[in-house]
Amino acid sequence: MTFVLYTIIYILAIAGIFLILLILLSRHGYRDYKWFVNFSVSLAAWISLQFAAQLFYNNQSLALLLLKFSVGVAPILVVSFFVFIENFLKLKQNRIINLILATAIIPLFILSPTELYIQSADISLKGLAVTKVGPLYLLVIILVAVLLVISFIRLTLYLRRNRKSTDEYAASRLLFIGALQFAIINLFANFFLSNNLVTQLLVPLTGFTLVAFISYAIFKHGLFDIKLIVARSVAYTLSVLVVVASYSVAAFGLARLVSPFSITLQQEILLAAFSAVAALSFQPLKRFFDKFTNSIFYRDAYDSQEFLNKINSNLVSEIDLYKLLTITAEEVNKNLKTEFCNFYVDEKATIDFHTVGTNIKIFADESWGSLFKTVLNSQKKTISEIGEDENLKTLLSKCNIGAVIKMESQDQYVGYLIVGIKKSGNAYSNQDLQILEIIADEVAIAVQNTLRFEEIAQFNITLQKRIEDATARLQKTNEKLVALDEAKDEFISMASHQLRTPLTSIKGYLSMLQEGDAGELNEQQHNFVDQAFLSSQRMVYLIADLLNVSRLKTGKFVIEAKPTYLPDVVEGEIKQLAETAKARDLEMVFNKPTDFPMMNLDETKIRQVIMNFADNAVYYTPNGGKITIQLKADENNVIYSVTDTGIGVPKSEQHKLFTKFYRAGNARKARPDGTGLGLFMAKKVVVAQGGAIIFKTQEGKGSTFGFSFPRAKLELKDVLKPSTQ
């Protein structure tokens, strides 16, 4: 009975290991937990070899060989466990060390049958002890011990860091306890309790206990996330084990009754094996005979739920209407065992075809034409030989048709599902017809959905064509606009150059008149000449803006920086506007700074910016308003600003203000002759020299325009100011 006891324990351990392997391979695949799979296989091999060595104790040479192989499996077992723990705890892996270990275990296993491991051993039913070892035996023991110690240290550190009442922590703790007891008890039993009954029971018990711990961790705490499969598999395994145990007890009891004398070991093994085979073969034999009897007595039997699930799966996964109907027809043929299955789709509901199936030749038969007319006039959902008049039965028989089911979706006729007679010759049952009606309705929905998809696809094609046509037209229009824009730029450039020469002459003569070169002018004449000079100056700035816009377009806009003293520049431009401001009853305030740095700027272009901001303030400020012009320098920046009490800029138009040719609505009313280039060019000039625009406004209350330049970048410290030169 002792042998029977640890035989059952061995069987339970092996069965448990392979149950876990089966679950892992069926649920996750080998790749996900390959090192745990390797560990489980090597554990099963180690236990099996230990058991086999004791089983064949009468054949000492075979028993010794099996024992050597069990020692050769030990490195594989431990290396697999070591790498599995690394993966399980998500530790950073040393691939070189793992590769060396994985490579080393192969020759260690190959050399295991030689005397390099074990030279002799005492093997019997009551004991298994190594009496003389080879040089590699100690190496294997050291390797096993080191890897086990490292693995358990890692598990211990992980458990100490993650002391939380979570399923992952609980599963890890169970894995740790099971592996620890397996390692400690086996090492202790094999090296200190050799050749006795305790060893024989402890070795399989540790394997069984490890499997039990892992199984409990899987079932209770979701180890590997396979709890449901484990629950079912464990239930089945336990059922089989109970049957095996029951058969074994019954067999041994029967053997004792038949032969009251002692039973030999070989007889015990045969009885145990017979019991296991009888228990394990019961279910496969039952399935075989069920299938055999069904083929005789229930030739038309099928699993209706599985049938419908397959149909639904096909309907969901396939969008091609012809393929969808073909697959469905084949599935109906397969399960209902019909002569054929066809679909007739209403010609209004499809584009490319009307018939599809496994035997569409029937649609060319004259009998089908007569039957189809009758079917169309019928209000029934299903027409079969059950309960129909003789005329209709005759038509069905001529076409070899067993049933015709109308396909409808949302009370809309889509077509018909036509099935031939059954191959068995039996009539369609009510269950068959109900399933066919379900399939017909589902196919009707699928047909409509597919047709809608085709309509959408066709609409998309049409829409894409229209978009392409519109894009082509827009491209041609854009090419024309580009050509016109280039012609405009060319005209502006040419006109600006042509206007520049006479304006320079006019401005020169007006300047001479102002200075009295043509004689003294009275006050009225002087005012007339001043206004003419100011207008000509504005025209010069306008032409300069037009030229700069053209240069921007052609990439010829260049900043020509030189030493510039801004107080003199601002003062000179303000003086030109003094008379105009006075005529409009505007108060213009400018306090020229006395201590101001020399700046490296394009004086001509910055002069235009200064005049533009001041000129806008004069023209967009109502009579009686005030204009404050400031020029100051702090530690970091040089700042110029013009603040007025004018019309301001509407909030909705402020974001467009510095774009080319844009003018706010209230500005167009106040000054219709503006171009919308002044602010655009001002921003380009300031930004091109490394500065920034200043802009604040409030509609009806005034605006502030200006710029700032960084001193550190543009200041010239070694250049004398004009007043000290």
Side-chain angles (χ1 to χ4, degrees), residues 7-8 11-12 15 236-237 239-249 251-252 268-285:
T7 299
I8 293 174
I11 292 173
L12 289 173
Y236 175 75
T237 304
S239 301
V240 171
L241 291 175
V242 169
V243 173
V244 170
S246 301
Y247 281 11
S248 299
V249 172
F252 280 116
E268 288 183 347
I269 294 171
L270 288 173
L271 286 172
F274 173 76
S275 302
V277 170
L280 293 172
S281 62
F282 173 75
Q283 192 66 23
L285 285 172

Side-chain angles (χ1 to χ4, degrees), residues 95-311:
R95 296 185 180 276
I96 297 176
I97 293 177
N98 289 350
L99 181 62
I100 293 172
L101 290 173
T103 307
I105 59 179
I106 298 173
L108 288 175
F109 178 75
I110 294 173
L111 293 172
S112 61
T114 67
E115 293 189 352
L116 293 173
Y117 274 95
I118 300 174
Q119 296 178 0
S120 63
D122 182 14
I123 303 172
S124 66
L125 181 61
K126 294 184 178 181
L128 188 154
V130 177
T131 56
K132 189 176 181 181
V133 299
L136 283 182
Y137 190 82
L138 181 60
L139 176 63
V140 171
I141 294 298
I142 294 173
L143 176 66
V144 169
V146 170
L147 293 182
L148 283 177
V149 168
I150 295 174
S151 299
F152 289 123
I153 289 174
R154 287 174 167 177
L155 272 170
T156 304
L157 293 175
Y158 172 79
L159 292 172
R160 290 186 64 182
R161 287 195 306 266
N162 300 275
R163 289 185 177 181
K164 299 177 181 178
S165 57
T166 61
D167 283 338
E168 184 178 357
Y169 172 77
S172 303
R173 187 173 58 185
L174 288 169
L175 178 64
F176 173 78
I177 296 171
L180 185 63
Q181 64 85 30
F182 174 78
I184 292 175
I185 295 176
N186 265 282
L187 289 172
F188 186 78
N190 278 285
F191 293 104
F192 300 104
L193 297 176
S194 301
N195 198 24
N196 58 47
L197 183 60
V198 176
T199 302
Q200 305 303 316
L201 292 174
L202 282 177
V203 169
L205 271 174
T206 54
F208 174 72
T209 307
L210 174 57
V211 172
F213 272 106
I214 295 174
S215 301
Y216 186 74
I218 291 173
F219 180 75
K220 182 66 177 178
H221 300 291
L223 183 65
F224 305 139
D225 192 25
I226 49 177
K227 182 176 177 180
L228 179 61
I229 299 176
V230 171
R232 294 177 178 175
S233 303
V234 167
Y236 175 75
T237 304
L238 290 176
S239 301
V240 171
L241 291 175
V242 169
V243 173
V244 170
S246 301
Y247 281 11
S248 299
V249 172
F252 280 116
L254 182 60
R256 292 293 182 184
L257 289 174
V258 173
S259 178
F261 302 102
S262 61
I263 301 176
T264 64
L265 173 62
Q266 287 75 11
Q267 290 173 331
E268 288 183 347
I269 294 171
L270 288 173
L271 286 172
F274 173 76
S275 302
V277 170
L280 293 172
S281 62
F282 173 75
Q283 192 66 23
L285 285 172
K286 179 179 180 299
R287 286 196 298 268
F288 170 77
F289 285 113
D290 283 345
K291 186 175 181 180
F292 178 73
T293 53
N294 285 338
S295 65
I296 298 174
F297 300 105
Y298 299 100
R299 286 178 291 175
D300 297 335
Y302 59 90
D303 189 331
S304 59
Q305 189 59 51
E306 184 179 347
F307 178 27
L308 291 175
N309 289 342
K310 185 65 176 177
I311 293 291

Side-chain angles (χ1 to χ4, degrees), residues 31-50:
R31 185 177 299 176
D32 292 341
Y33 297 105
K34 60 181 179 180
W35 286 105
F36 183 78
V37 171
N38 294 344
F39 168 68
S40 301
V41 170
S42 54
L43 177 61
W46 184 81
I47 293 175
S48 301
L49 289 167
Q50 288 276 332

Side-chain angles (χ1 to χ4, degrees), residues 66 87 144 186 221 232 251 289 291 295 373 434 453 459 642 644 661 666 682 690:
L66 293 171
N87 286 274
V144 169
N186 265 282
H221 300 291
R232 294 177 178 175
F289 285 113
K291 186 175 181 180
S295 65
K373 290 179 182 178
Q434 287 175 0
F453 179 80
F459 174 76
V642 179
D644 61 54
F661 299 119
N666 56 354

Side-chain angles (χ1 to χ4, degrees), residues 6 128 168 214 315 381 388 492 544 564 569 600 614 628 679 689 715:
Y6 64 72
L128 188 154
E168 184 178 357
I214 295 174
L315 294 177
K381 172 77 173 177
E388 301 294 345
I492 289 173
T564 303
V569 175
N600 191 34
T628 304
L679 293 180
Q689 298 181 79
E715 183 179 358

Side-chain angles (χ1 to χ4, degrees), residues 582-650:
K582 186 177 179 181
R584 295 172 64 89
D585 193 23
L586 297 175
E587 181 185 357
M588 184 177 287
V589 179
F590 172 62
N591 295 318
K592 183 179 179 181
T594 56
D595 184 17
F596 203 86
M598 289 291 291
M599 304 293 289
N600 191 34
L601 298 169
D602 189 325
E603 183 179 337
T604 302
K605 292 183 175 64
I606 206 67
R607 188 181 290 275
Q608 289 177 237
V609 176
I610 290 169
M611 171 57 85
N612 182 275
F613 289 159
D615 188 54
N616 283 347
V618 169
Y619 273 90
Y620 295 127
T621 301
N623 293 350
K626 182 179 180 180
I627 300 171
T628 304
I629 301 170
Q630 286 187 326
L631 180 65
K632 60 182 180 179
D634 57 25
E635 294 180 359
N636 300 316
N637 299 295
V638 168
I639 302 169
Y640 167 77
S641 64
V642 179
T643 303
D644 61 54
T645 57
I647 61 176
V649 183

